Amino acid sequence: MSGKLFHRTFLSVSHRLPEIERMTRMTLPDLSGTALILEGGGFRGLYTTGVLDYFMEQGLYLPQVYGISAGALNAVGYAAKQPGRNAQVNFRFCNDKRYISAQNMLKYRCAFNMEFIFDTIPEQYLPFDYDTFFSSEVQVHIGATNLLTGSCDFFDKTQMDHKMFPVRASAALPLFSHIFYLNGTPYLDGGIACPIPLAKSMQDGNKKQIIILTKLPHFERKPTANLPLIRRIYREYPHFIEAEETRHIVDRRQRDSCELLAKTHQALILQPHKPIHISAMRADEQSLRELYAMGYDDARAAFPQILEFLAE
């Protein structure tokens, strides 16, 4: 099935999921000690969404998933086993001012309206399968940056309820979102301290990593451009400011680690290989569909290699 055809049929995939899982269960290798690593990137996360939808169509569910920011949103959709839902949310609402707009900053203190995304959409438009999410064998680890320490803390399903506050905190962009307090501790975007949560997965004992990145192979993050404003707005949190100041250095190190593990056959990387004309916070539906199709088609093309890697 092509990525474009899948756009027209993905909503029916969830109804066929038990059949798909029965067909593939006997052919999948042992998945213990394997993990998915999901980078963030705002709307660029639609590449990851396409990859994961193909995985779900094939019944491939790795037992551990580590997600940051937009990667956190993709992680919970994967654990809920709802192929197509995350794509449909973005296609349908990317131009809806309730979803993202400057007006939201004035009304909700968030450019992305978290109440609309996490409350209104699942309650009124596209239901989220909370029962499957919480009972799923897929364990999620969501990273958010601790403003007091400047490090990334991780949260699992035992620390979540239907409000998904750790996921909201993980996706809360500095300057474009209010601070989220989890157990009294202030948090913002996990991508500040940990753009790619590879180290956490390895610390947890996972031996094989499938890493889904949303940037091009030779991407180089530049130093944060708005540091003077960051320093002023978050002056109460010096460790967070330091994390922002060194973000580009940490990002480079983590990408180098991914490449090293791939060269030593401990990881497999999927990422876009042609320019993406989408920003983290602005995109049109057609561009999102094209990016989604790229991820879906890349996953399909790489799937034999993925199975071989998991079987090694």
Side-chain angles (χ1 to χ4, degrees), residues 4-309:
K4 291 183 179 179
L5 179 59
F6 188 68
H7 294 323
R8 297 193 292 270
T9 61
F10 63 72
L11 289 180
S12 67
V13 170
S14 60
H15 301 298
R16 298 190 292 112
L17 193 56
E19 176 188 353
I20 292 169
E21 288 182 322
R22 285 195 297 271
M23 289 189 298
T24 58
R25 186 179 295 121
M26 297 303 294
T27 62
L28 290 175
D30 179 14
L31 299 178
S32 58
T34 63
L36 272 174
I37 313 297
L38 309 181
E39 183 182 19
F43 280 126
R44 289 188 292 267
L46 262 292
Y47 177 85
T48 302
T49 305
V51 172
L52 295 184
D53 277 1
Y54 185 82
F55 283 7
M56 287 188 278
E57 182 184 356
Q58 300 304 312
L60 177 60
Y61 288 95
L62 273 65
Q64 306 293 332
V65 186
Y66 297 78
I68 296 291
S69 197
L73 289 159
N74 276 311
V76 298
Y78 181 76
K81 301 186 177 182
Q82 286 186 278
R85 183 185 180 276
N86 279 357
Q88 182 68 358
V89 167
N90 284 278
F91 298 158
R92 185 170 175 180
F93 296 107
C94 64
N95 294 316
D96 191 316
K97 291 183 178 180
R98 295 173 297 172
Y99 188 66
I100 178 171
S101 66
Q103 291 90 325
N104 287 342
M105 284 295 297
L106 298 175
K107 189 173 182 179
Y108 304 105
R109 295 186 297 129
C110 279
F112 284 96
N113 182 351
M114 298 296 189
E115 285 72 23
F116 183 72
I117 295 169
F118 289 95
D119 299 329
T120 305
I121 291 177
E123 291 173 5
Q124 300 181 20
Y125 297 102
L126 295 164
F128 181 82
D129 191 343
Y130 294 102
D131 290 340
T132 297
F133 171 75
F134 285 109
S135 64
S136 169
E137 75 280 7
V138 178
Q139 300 303 310
V140 300
H141 310 268
I142 304 303
T145 300
N146 184 323
L147 270 63
L148 299 179
T149 65
S151 61
C152 189
D153 295 340
F154 285 86
F155 302 84
D156 59 31
K157 286 190 279 191
T158 66
Q159 298 164 288
M160 300 181 201
D161 58 19
H162 287 202
K163 292 293 185 179
M164 299 282 179
F165 282 120
V167 184
R168 301 187 195 203
S170 181
L173 302 177
L175 302 180
F176 294 97
S177 172
H178 62 75
I179 294 170
F180 282 86
Y181 290 85
L182 306 177
N183 298 320
T185 301
Y187 288 93
L188 282 172
D189 179 19
I192 305 303
C194 183
I196 307 168
L198 174 62
K200 170 63 176 172
S201 175
M202 297 182 69
Q203 290 168 6
D204 288 347
N206 295 305
K207 304 299 183 184
K208 294 181 181 179
Q209 328 287 335
I210 295 181
I211 304 169
I212 307 177
L213 304 178
T214 59
K215 311 295 193 304
L216 295 171
H218 301 295
F219 170 78
E220 288 287 344
R221 183 176 294 280
K222 297 178 181 179
T224 302
N226 49 18
L227 273 176
L229 186 58
I230 292 283
R231 293 182 181 118
R232 181 158 62 89
I233 297 297
Y234 301 105
R235 57 187 176 275
E236 297 179 20
Y237 306 107
H239 293 297
F240 175 75
I241 293 173
E242 182 180 355
E244 277 278 13
E245 292 171 339
T246 59
R247 184 183 183 187
H248 62 293
I249 300 172
V250 172
D251 187 277
R252 182 67 264 161
R253 288 174 179 169
Q254 293 188 352
R255 291 183 195 282
D256 288 344
S257 295
C258 292
E259 293 171 8
L260 177 61
L261 287 187
K263 289 178 181 178
T264 56
H265 306 289
Q266 299 174 70
L268 188 148
I269 300 173
L270 289 170
Q271 65 188 131
H273 285 82
K274 60 183 179 180
I276 301 169
H277 303 292
I278 292 176
S279 73
M281 297 180 64
R282 179 175 297 180
D284 62 88
E285 181 181 346
Q286 182 58 35
S287 296
L288 291 179
R289 287 185 177 275
E290 291 172 0
L291 181 58
Y292 171 88
M294 185 193 304
Y296 181 90
D297 290 341
D298 283 356
R300 182 184 58 183
F303 203 69
Q305 180 186 359
I306 291 169
L307 293 180
E308 181 179 351
F309 167 72

